[in-house]
Amino acid sequence: MKLWGERFTRTTDRLVEDFHSSISFDQRLYKEDIAGSIAHARMLAAVGLITPAEGEAIIKGLEEIRADIEAGRVTFDVGAEDIHMNIEKLLTERIGEAGKKLHTARSRNDQVALDLRLYLKEEIPAVKKLLAGLQQVLVDLAAQHLQTIMPGYTHLQKAQPVTLAHHLMAYFEMFYRDQQRLDDCLDRVDVMPLGAGALAGTTLPIDRELVARELGFKAISANSLDAVSDRDFVVEFLAAASLIMMHLSRLAEEVIFWSSEEFGFLELDDAYSTGSSMMPQKKNPDVAELVRGKTGRVYGHLMGMLAVLKGLPLAYNKDLQEDKEALFDTLDTVKGCLMVFTPMLATARFRVERMRADASRGFAAATDVAEYLVRKGLPFREAHAVVGSLVLHCLREGRSFQDLSLEEWQSFSPLFDNDIFGCLEAEACVNGRNLPGGPAPEAVGKAIERAREILAGIQAGLSR
């Protein structure tokens, strides 16, 4: 007999039972479910709804069940539907009548909301730690490549010289904002819903604050209907995870480009590359490609969860069962991608000579030439036109800026003098941009110092 079966005269159809059951995936919540039940039992005993002896029996039974699950001695029952009823069933079989009192003053509706929040309270710091590991690699690589010149791009066309350090630190900043979003999400996850009951709380004299303290929540939910019916905290995490994956995918795209023969900026370690079953010469960036591909998977979970929620009336609806697989798979995907991406990047070898040579090709110094004329007193729009004409002249002649004589420079503007040649080297272009946030080694060095302080703060927060 199901724990809710007395109102029914027929047993659940087997197809419905299989369709309805969530134990195949929500068994992952067993630790959180047991922790919440232990706190609930302590509260029930504290307010006199069960005796101290019953409370002790329930807690001891739950601890034994947790140990048995972790030892692989428990087989979950599909007929018991979910992790909550499976554990209650196991508890009642183990300790008898006292087990039937555990569900006093609570519903599976507030119970599952509690479990999900407890689960995310553990998992978000785990994601933050992995993300910090990748950020540390970015900072360490940047420190090694403060002087490594490379082309910067817009529209995938060479634009201006930058340094590899500056490029890598751009991704540090993206992932730092991801860290901040995870912190914001965790702040809203950290609200205790237990006590909301099915939708309207309970008439029994429970102590919600006691349970919140026991479980380490900073606050209790302010509205019982909201507490059981919304999953915006899941959506918020999925959104934050989608942005992490978007940033990972962008970096993966660069790794894929850079490791191609056409770019030749980077060589991946053999341990993080694969070959072709047909073409013996191939060395493929499959790890980066798979990270890029898995990004769409996480986006799909976000869109799916938004679609589940968009038409739900208050309060709880069975549609909300769809939150768990989306959440679990997103966590597995993000954590798995971070775990493999970080060592892939850490072991990659950058071809600094190729980067430097590529940064000197084309007309990457064009903006610097225009700014040279601005310093000589020419309005920028006129300077832009002069340099545009110079570029067109060089293209028609098949030459570069470095090939032009001073007389040729002066034929385009009398403001050009011998000092123009000092503006054309990539190092000069980079070093001249020594402003906060700029690519000059001194500016990037300061950014790296700031990044190390940020990472120290993240690590200190995770260790608390």
Side-chain angles (χ1 to χ4, degrees), residues 265-269 345 347-351 353:
F265 289 177
L266 173 141
E267 182 177 0
L268 293 171
D269 190 271
L345 189 62
T347 56
R349 182 175 67 86
F350 292 94
R351 293 177 171 150
E353 298 83 5

Side-chain angles (χ1 to χ4, degrees), residues 26-220:
D26 71 10
Q27 61 184 270
R28 187 186 290 218
L29 297 172
Y30 77 89
K31 286 189 291 187
E32 289 74 22
D33 198 73
I34 289 173
S37 292
I38 288 173
H40 186 66
R42 287 198 174 116
M43 182 275 293
L44 292 177
V47 300
L49 287 171
I50 60 175
T51 68
E54 288 170 330
E56 289 174 13
I58 289 171
I59 292 168
K60 182 173 182 292
L62 289 169
E63 289 172 342
E64 290 172 354
I65 290 168
R66 180 172 55 202
D68 285 346
I69 292 172
E70 290 171 351
R73 293 192 291 266
V74 170
T75 301
F76 292 111
D77 178 10
V78 172
E81 297 179 11
D82 54 37
I83 189 62
H84 326 297
M85 291 173 69
N86 264 270
I87 288 175
E88 185 176 336
K89 179 172 175 282
L90 290 167
L91 180 67
T92 303
E93 290 171 353
R94 189 171 299 229
I95 68 169
E97 288 298 306
K100 297 178 181 180
K101 296 187 177 183
L102 175 60
H103 208 56
T104 302
R106 74 175 181 181
S107 163
R108 282 185 293 173
N109 297 357
D110 59 351
Q111 193 176 354
V112 69
L114 173 72
D115 290 0
L116 281 175
R117 288 177 181 273
L118 284 172
Y119 187 76
L120 273 173
K121 273 166 62 79
E122 288 293 318
E123 289 295 326
I124 288 174
V127 175
K128 284 177 58 65
K129 183 176 181 180
L130 289 170
L131 196 55
L134 176 56
Q135 289 178 284
Q136 187 66 61
V137 168
L138 289 166
V139 170
D140 292 344
L141 286 172
Q144 297 168 30
H145 290 283
L146 279 169
Q147 304 293 335
T148 299
I149 303 291
M150 67 172 289
Y153 296 85
T154 63
H155 308 281
L156 263 186
Q157 309 293 314
K158 288 188 182 70
Q160 293 175 308
V162 294
T163 61
L164 177 56
H166 191 53
H167 196 111
L168 294 171
M169 288 303 292
Y171 283 99
F172 175 90
E173 295 298 331
M174 297 178 205
F175 291 127
Y176 177 41
R177 291 192 295 277
D178 290 328
Q179 291 275 13
Q180 293 172 314
R181 275 184 282 269
L182 289 173
D183 285 337
D184 289 344
C185 179
L186 186 57
D187 187 55
R188 278 176 286 280
V189 166
D190 199 11
V191 177
M192 207 275 297
L194 204 63
L199 75 161
T202 178
T203 61
L204 297 171
I206 62 171
D207 186 342
R208 298 187 69 205
E209 296 286 359
L210 188 156
V211 179
R213 288 194 301 273
E214 180 81 18
L215 294 172
F217 280 98
K218 69 170 188 179
I220 61 173

